[in-house]
Amino acid sequence: MRRREARLQRFKNTNNVKRSPAPSPATPATPNPDVMDWDEYTIVGTSSQLEKQYLRLTSAPDPASVRPLPVLRKTLELIKQKWEKEHNYTYMCDQFKSMRQDLTVQRIQNDFTVHVYETHARIALEMGDLGEYNQCQTQLKDLYSKGIAGETMEFLAYRILYMLHTQNRSALNAIMAEIKGTHANDKAVQHALQVRSSLATSNYHRFFLLYKETPNMGNYLIHQFIERERIYALRTMCKAYRPSIDIEFIRKELAFETTQDLHKFLEKLKISGTLDDQNLDARNALPGLNDLAKQFAKVDINRSATV
Amino acid sequence: MKKAIPAYLDSVSNAAITCRGKQLASLLSLSDAHVNTLLEHNAQSANLVETARTKLNYPWDDILLLHVEIVRAQHQGDLQQAYEDQKELVQSFQRAINSYDKWCLPFLYAINKDLRDLAVEADVQQANDKKENKNLEEAANVMSKSFTSCITDRSLDRAKSRKWGTYHISNLLFKTYFKIKSQNLCRNVLKAIRVNDLPPLESYPKADRVTFRYYLGRLYFLEEQYIKAEQELSLAFLECSTRSSRNKQLILHYLLPVRIYLGKLPTRKLLNRYPSISALYSPLVSAIREGNVRAFDVAMESGYAHLIDRGTFLTIEKARSMVIRTLCRRVYSIMNTTRISMETFKQALEFAGLEVDMEEVECMLAVLIFKGYIKGYLSHEKQFVVLSAKDPFPIPSSVVVT
C-alpha cells in the first residue's frame, strides 16, 4: 500500500527529477535517436575542432569543447589516416580516449560508437596493449548486448582467445555456455573454438596449424601465450622422442618461420642440447624445459574459494 | 471463527516459553498449514497488534506481526514487500539471538530459508518488471550474520551452544553464493569454520554433513583440485541416504566427471541405477572403456549443453587422452610386439573414424608418453614407436594426472 502511494507521488511532480546540475541546455526540442536515455539535459556539443587532447572530466563539460557526431565522424577518419602514416600510439590513444569521452557525455550509443571502440581495440591489440584492449572489449560487450550492430563475431573470437591466454577456466566455461551452438557458424568463432579444443586436448600439432591461419587480429592475442605453448610442446617432444629430434621437424611443428627464429628461441630460453644444426638432444633439453614450464603453473590464492 | 487467531498466538507464545524450536519454526514458517488459517481469518490490524503485544514477549510480538504481514503480502503477490519484511524479521531475531541457545536453531533455519526463497521470488518478479534484482545478494549478507551468530557463540555449555547450527547455515549460504555466482565468497565461510573451535564434523547431523561435503567438493572441483574434490564428493555420496535419489544424482553429476578424470570409471550397475545419469554418462564411459575416440567425440557433442551448464565439460574433455591410450593399447595387443610403426597407429585411428595426418599421430603419441599413459619412446626418423618391455600401458587410475 505504501509503495503505490509513493509511486503516485512521483508522478505529481515531474520537476522533481533528481539530476546533477548541468549547464542550461541549448538543445533541440526533438529527441535524438542516437542517444539512449535522452532527456532535456543531454549535452550536444558544438565544437568543430577535429583533434582534441584527452582531459579527465571533473565536472560537467562545456558543450563548446565537445564535438557533435558529424564532427567526430571526420575526426575518426583523420585519426585513421594519421595512424597509417605516423604510427604514433601515444597520440592515437589520446585522441581515441577523447573521442570516447565526447561520445559518452553526449550519451551517443550507436554503430559509430561501436566502430570507434572496435577500431581502438584493434590498434591496441596490434600494439600489445591488453589493458586498453580490455577496456574497449568491456564497452563493446555492453553495446552489443543493447542490440547495436558491429563486428560481434570478430570480437567474440577475441574474447575466447583472451581466455586461453589468462587460462581463466570459469570465464571460459561461461563463454562456452553463452555460445552453445548459436554463433557456431562464424569462421572466426569456429577458429577460436578449435584453438581452444586443441589446447584442451594438448594437440600442439593442430594448435600451431590453426595459428598459421588465424583470421582478423587474433594472432596478436595468440602471441601473448605462444611462447608458453611452444615451451609445453617442446617439453612434450623432448620427453617422448629419443635420442634426438630433427630441428627442421621442430621448426615446422612449432610454426617458426625460419630456422634462425627457432635457434633464437632456444638461445633466449637457454635451452641446451643442440647437437649440431640438425638435431636437438632431447634428454639434455628436457630439464631446462621442465623448469621453464613451472612458471606457468596457475597459483592464484586470491581467487581461491577454499583456503 | 474469531478464536483461531488468539489460539494461534497462544501456541506461538507457548512454543517460545517452553523452548520448542521445531514447533516455533512451523508456526512462523511460510510453508506451514497455519498460513491458510491466517489468510482465511484476515485478522484486523489494530486488534491483532493489541492482542499480540499482550500475549507475546519481545521479540516474538514483532516477529509474529511481521510474519502475518509477510503472509498477506506474499499471497497478494507483492513479493518485494514480503521479502523486505522477512529481512526485518530475521534481523529482529538476530538482535535478540544471544538470549537463545541451541533450541532456537530450527527456527533460525526456517526464517533464513524463507528469506532466501522470498529473495529468489522477488528477484524474478523484479526482473520481469525490468527492475534491479539484487535481493538475493542482500539476503546472503543477512544470512551471513546468522552464520556469525552461530559460530561465535561462546557459551560454556557446549551441548547447548548455537555452534551446532554452523554447518546448516553454511550450507544455506553456499547454496546462495553458488546461485549468485559468487563462489569466492564461500572462502570466508570456510575460513571462519577452520579458525573457530567447533565440534568435529562427524558429530553434526548427517544431513548437514552430506550437504557440506557436496559443496566443499564442488568448490575443490572449481579450483581443479580433483583429488580433494573426489574425497569430499565420495564421502557425500556414501553417506547420502538412498532414499534421497535426487541428492544422490546431484552428487554424481560432479563425482563422475572427477572420477573419470582420475581414470576411475563407474560400473554399469551404478549407472543403471539412475536413468538420467545413465543417459548422459553411459555413452562416454563406454567410449572410454573401448578406446572409441569417435564415439567419445559424439557423446561429448550430444552432452555438451548439460555438461557446460554444470561446468564439468572441460574436465571430462581431458579424458580424451585416455580414450586414445586405450585404442593404442588395443593396437599393441594385436601387434604383440614392442616395436610398432607409427603408420600402424595412424591406420588404427583412421579406422576408428578420425582424419589425421602423420604429424598429428606423432603428436598424440608424444602426448601419451609425456602424460605417462604410454611407457616408451618415439623415433621420428625411423617413424617407429618403441614400447617399454614392462607394463607399457599402465592402468589410467595409477597415472598421476598433470
Side-chain angles (χ1 to χ4, degrees):
Chain A
M1 202 52 206
R2 326 158 205 170
R3 296 206 8 264
R4 192 147 59 95
E5 284 161 358
R7 265 181 269 143
L8 288 170
Q9 275 294 335
R10 184 175 172 242
F11 284 106
K12 270 195 212 155
N13 279 344
T14 32
N15 290 334
N16 284 350
V17 178
K18 271 207 304 203
R19 295 230 194 266
S20 46
S24 34
T27 51
T30 45
N32 186 337
D34 288 326
V35 178
M36 296 205 168
D37 310 318
W38 182 91
D39 64 44
E40 67 267 27
Y41 290 93
T42 306
I43 296 170
V44 175
T46 57
S47 164
S48 54
Q49 189 192 26
L50 288 190
E51 288 163 85
K52 181 174 120 177
Q53 229 188 5
Y54 172 69
L55 281 168
R56 214 144 198 256
L57 283 178
T58 48
S59 60
D62 176 11
S65 69
V66 176
R67 294 158 290 180
L69 189 54
V71 176
L72 287 173
R73 288 190 197 272
K74 292 198 206 139
T75 305
L76 182 61
E77 288 314 302
L78 176 65
I79 305 299
K80 278 191 197 172
Q81 282 170 28
K82 279 201 158 183
W83 173 249
E84 293 301 313
K85 276 202 289 206
E86 296 160 27
H87 249 70
N88 183 341
Y89 186 60
T90 327
Y91 164 80
M92 195 236 54
C93 227
D94 190 62
Q95 292 296 319
F96 262 101
K97 280 170 122 140
S98 85
M99 262 196 287
R100 281 156 54 180
Q101 187 183 67
D102 282 0
L103 287 167
T104 309
V105 305
Q106 295 178 94
R107 298 196 212 158
I108 299 175
Q109 292 191 326
N110 60 4
D111 51 357
F112 177 72
T113 315
V114 163
H115 188 59
V116 167
Y117 278 106
E118 285 176 351
T119 313
H120 193 179
R122 288 194 194 102
I123 297 179
L125 273 183
E126 196 184 322
M127 303 302 290
D129 186 352
L130 284 190
E132 201 60 61
Y133 157 77
N134 265 326
Q135 274 187 45
C136 296
Q137 181 66 282
T138 311
Q139 291 302 321
L140 283 169
K141 197 166 167 229
D142 182 55
L143 292 165
Y144 294 148
S145 73
K146 291 179 175 159
I148 306 173
E151 298 300 329
T152 50
M153 295 295 111
E154 179 188 342
F155 281 82
L156 175 57
Y158 293 157
R159 278 175 64 205
I160 299 169
L161 293 175
Y162 185 77
M163 295 304 162
L164 298 176
H165 165 51
T166 59
Q167 300 192 294
N168 185 335
R169 192 196 131 98
S170 47
L172 190 54
N173 198 93
I175 287 197
M176 287 169 77
E178 236 182 88
I179 300 178
K180 246 197 262 179
T182 44
H183 317 303
N185 288 323
D186 178 81
K187 266 213 174 120
V189 174
Q190 263 296 330
H191 175 270
L193 288 174
Q194 284 174 16
V195 170
R196 184 214 71 77
S197 98
S198 65
L199 285 183
T201 52
S202 311
N203 192 337
Y204 57 78
H205 175 76
R206 258 187 83 210
F207 169 73
F208 286 104
L209 279 179
L210 287 163
Y211 164 66
K212 285 192 261 207
E213 35 180 80
T214 311
N216 305 321
M217 323 251 331
N219 266 348
Y220 290 103
L221 280 164
I222 298 187
H223 277 167
Q224 297 289 330
F225 58 92
I226 195 152
E227 192 169 276
R228 178 188 79 202
E229 295 309 320
R230 280 178 168 150
I231 292 173
Y232 283 160
L234 193 54
R235 177 181 63 158
T236 303
M237 290 168 87
C238 286
K239 183 95 203 300
Y241 288 93
R242 287 285 177 280
S244 60
I245 321 172
D246 178 43
I247 286 278
E248 178 59 18
F249 176 59
I250 299 177
R251 184 195 72 74
K252 277 203 301 212
E253 282 299 279
L254 303 189
F256 283 102
E257 288 257 352
T258 65
T259 323
Q260 282 94 305
D261 289 337
L262 172 54
H263 279 297
K264 262 194 267 178
F265 171 78
L266 294 172
E267 271 166 39
K268 176 180 143 202
L269 297 173
K270 302 202 179 63
I271 299 170
S272 56
T274 10
L275 286 176
D276 42 48
D277 277 339
Q278 310 290 81
N279 293 289
L280 178 72
D281 182 329
R283 210 174 255 130
N284 261 340
L286 187 57
L289 287 161
N290 276 329
D291 284 335
L292 284 166
K294 281 201 189 112
Q295 68 182 289
F296 300 116
K298 291 173 292 154
V299 177
D300 191 348
I301 305 175
N302 290 327
R303 259 182 42 222
S304 161
T306 58
V307 174
Chain B
M1 283 282 251
K2 288 259 159 99
K3 283 210 179 138
I5 299 294
Y8 167 66
L9 291 175
D10 281 333
S11 31
V12 172
S13 171
N14 227 318
I17 293 171
T18 55
C19 304
R20 302 225 293 286
K22 282 220 179 110
Q23 180 88 329
L24 201 54
S26 323
L27 289 169
L28 291 165
S29 101
L30 294 171
S31 34
D32 185 74
H34 78 268
V35 164
N36 292 322
T37 318
L38 284 178
L39 289 172
E40 263 174 44
H41 288 91
N42 202 11
Q44 290 289 32
S45 295
N47 232 339
L48 181 65
V49 174
E50 226 186 280
T51 325
R53 300 244 184 258
T54 324
K55 285 184 182 278
L56 297 165
N57 297 322
Y58 168 82
W60 307 108
D61 49 356
D62 290 327
I63 288 177
L64 179 119
L65 290 170
L66 280 166
H67 176 67
V68 173
E69 281 296 305
I70 294 164
V71 166
R72 195 169 296 143
Q74 191 188 37
H75 179 75
Q76 289 173 345
D78 191 352
L79 298 168
Q80 186 63 27
Q81 188 60 47
Y83 161 72
E84 301 277 350
D85 285 339
Q86 183 74 16
K87 187 175 74 170
E88 230 209 279
L89 192 158
V90 177
Q91 285 170 329
S92 303
F93 183 63
Q94 262 162 203
R95 282 192 284 270
I97 200 170
N98 279 317
S99 323
Y100 306 104
D101 64 32
K102 187 175 179 208
W103 76 262
C104 77
L105 289 177
F107 173 69
L108 186 66
Y109 300 160
I111 58 176
N112 272 292
K113 180 178 180 297
D114 281 344
L115 177 68
R116 190 187 174 274
D117 291 344
L118 279 171
V120 172
E121 282 176 32
D123 275 343
V124 171
Q125 197 182 57
Q126 294 286 82
N128 285 336
D129 293 343
K130 303 258 196 288
K131 290 193 218 135
E132 208 187 45
N133 52 334
K134 296 265 160 100
N135 291 319
L136 194 53
E137 265 181 57
E138 193 186 47
N141 256 323
V142 177
M143 286 157 65
S144 162
K145 306 250 169 36
S146 290
F147 170 77
T148 310
S149 63
C150 287
I151 203 169
T152 54
D153 182 6
R154 308 237 182 276
S155 70
L156 296 167
D157 187 352
R158 285 277 269 208
K160 294 222 184 120
S161 161
R162 289 194 305 275
K163 288 196 183 209
W164 290 105
T166 309
Y167 285 106
H168 190 111
I169 301 277
S170 309
N171 293 336
L172 269 177
L173 273 173
F174 288 154
K175 191 171 174 182
T176 310
Y177 289 145
F178 268 85
K179 193 162 171 85
I180 57 176
K181 304 214 195 316
S182 302
Q183 292 90 339
N184 54 305
L185 292 175
C186 297
R187 172 171 208 247
N188 305 325
V189 177
L190 289 172
K191 213 176 190 173
I193 290 176
R194 250 159 262 233
V195 163
N196 275 280
D197 175 34
L198 288 173
L201 182 58
E202 287 68 35
S203 44
Y204 278 81
K206 189 162 85 153
D208 291 354
R209 205 162 45 241
V210 169
T211 313
F212 182 74
R213 290 213 158 105
Y214 166 72
Y215 282 112
L216 192 55
R218 282 189 63 183
L219 287 168
Y220 280 132
F221 185 96
L222 279 172
E223 290 164 12
E224 302 179 72
Q225 294 196 59
Y226 293 117
I227 298 185
K228 286 190 180 167
E230 201 219 345
Q231 268 167 9
E232 300 300 329
L233 292 167
S234 303
L235 281 170
F237 186 72
L238 264 165
E239 276 213 291
C240 180
S241 154
T242 33
R243 277 171 290 150
S244 322
S245 172
R246 188 171 170 269
N247 288 343
K248 282 269 200 198
Q249 289 179 64
L250 280 175
I251 301 172
L252 280 178
H253 275 298
Y254 293 94
L255 183 54
L256 286 179
V258 167
R259 283 235 175 109
I260 289 172
Y261 176 83
L262 294 171
K264 304 177 193 176
L265 299 178
T267 59
R268 211 171 295 269
K269 192 166 144 209
L270 175 67
L271 291 170
N272 288 335
R273 209 176 289 153
Y274 308 100
S276 66
I277 296 282
S278 179
L280 186 54
Y281 297 100
S282 287
L284 281 167
V285 172
S286 305
I288 300 174
R289 246 192 256 283
E290 294 162 25
N292 190 338
V293 189
R294 183 104 191 84
F296 180 83
D297 289 340
V298 166
M300 284 299 269
E301 240 189 81
S302 62
Y304 184 81
H306 287 283
L307 296 173
I308 283 282
D309 277 340
R310 288 183 204 271
T312 54
F313 179 88
L314 297 174
T315 306
I316 302 183
E317 192 181 32
K318 304 261 182 222
R320 197 170 188 268
S321 303
M322 242 183 283
V323 190
I324 303 178
R325 167 257 174 212
T326 303
L327 178 65
C328 293
R329 202 205 70 219
R330 286 169 68 189
V331 170
Y332 166 64
S333 36
I334 294 171
M335 302 301 290
N336 208 11
T337 163
T338 53
R339 279 182 60 97
I340 307 176
S341 74
M342 290 180 181
E343 179 63 37
T344 312
F345 286 105
K346 180 168 185 276
Q347 282 172 20
L349 285 161
E350 281 168 343
F351 190 71
L354 296 179
E355 278 177 39
V356 282
D357 54 30
M358 189 49 104
E359 285 91 2
E360 192 166 346
V361 176
E362 286 196 54
C363 171
M364 287 175 172
L365 291 166
V367 169
L368 287 176
I369 293 176
F370 172 76
K371 289 189 171 180
Y373 287 122
I374 297 183
K375 289 220 194 101
Y377 67 85
L378 305 175
S379 166
H380 178 66
E381 298 83 32
K382 307 223 172 87
Q383 290 282 287
F384 255 83
V385 181
V386 180
L387 298 167
S388 154
K390 204 172 92 164
D391 194 24
F393 290 90
I395 322 172
S397 52
S398 66
V399 174
V400 176
V401 250
T402 36

